[in-house]
Amino acid sequence: MSTRPSSLARLQGSVGVWTGAHELLAPTTHAGVAGEIEALGYSALWFPESWGRESLTSATLLLSATSTLTVATGITNIWGRDAVASVNAARTLNATFAERFVLGLGVSHQPLVERLRGHQYLSPLANMRDYLGAMDKAPMHAHEAEQPYARVIAALRPKMLALGAEMADG
């Protein structure tokens, strides 16, 4: 991706929180959790997607409850939805909530992919490359289609790190 989206630029040099603790509470409490994190002065709330709620729905709840907090998925599992659904959700969330959304994507781990989701965990790097390519080609016939959004990927090894530099914002 060519230029750094404003949601990522605002986070440079700041401190955020990564937690999934709010997933253990009723969804109606998201406002209190996100509001408290925002009131404490943190710039971002990063949260995982694994055994809890669907990440893009959770992001909507968290963003709705705040006015300055950046909300980031860390990570949204690429096996949980197709690339068109992911990119169009990211575009919509970013446009709706004043460019405060960051889409963090990842390939997850073999047990979660195979046992929980019923997919074969083959070639994570190739699957992520194909997924990002499909996102780049995804059509959207709505106002926010051309608005930039932030996309980062989870990476543990050099080739996935290089892919993050090549096809994402990091």
Side-chain angles (χ1 to χ4, degrees):
M1 302 183 82
S2 56
T3 60
R4 177 171 285 182
S6 62
S7 55
L8 284 178
R10 279 195 310 277
L11 296 181
Q12 190 168 349
S14 69
V15 177
V17 172
W18 184 92
T19 184
H22 63 284
E23 298 286 319
L24 301 174
L25 305 170
T28 54
T29 64
H30 275 64
V33 172
E36 185 172 345
I37 290 169
E38 184 175 58
L40 289 170
Y42 291 101
S43 60
L45 171 58
W46 293 78
F47 66 95
E49 176 180 61
S50 55
W51 298 99
R53 294 185 184 96
E54 190 277 328
S55 63
L56 301 174
T57 303
S58 282
T60 304
L61 296 170
L62 295 164
L63 286 160
S64 295
T66 59
S67 60
T68 61
L69 188 70
T70 295
V71 172
T73 61
I75 61 170
T76 288
N77 187 331
I78 67 168
W79 304 98
R81 68 210 43 80
D82 68 31
V84 175
S86 289
V87 68
N88 289 343
R91 290 169 172 158
T92 301
L93 287 170
N94 200 51
T96 302
F97 295 103
E99 298 183 10
R100 296 187 296 120
F101 178 69
V102 175
L103 178 63
L105 295 167
V107 294
S108 190
H109 302 283
Q110 189 169 6
L112 288 174
V113 171
E114 292 184 352
R115 287 189 226 145
L116 178 65
R117 298 192 179 274
H119 299 283
Q120 287 188 318
Y121 192 76
L122 302 173
S123 188
L125 181 66
N127 276 294
M128 179 61 82
R129 180 177 299 283
D130 290 347
Y131 195 89
L132 296 173
M135 288 178 76
D136 291 343
K137 295 176 187 171
M140 183 182 213
H141 303 291
H143 168 71
E144 60 272 22
E146 299 305 316
Q147 183 171 344
Y149 67 97
R151 175 174 82 186
V152 296
I153 65 171
L156 298 175
R157 296 185 182 232
K159 289 181 182 178
M160 193 70 83
L161 286 166
L163 183 62
E166 176 191 340
M167 295 185 72
D169 297 305

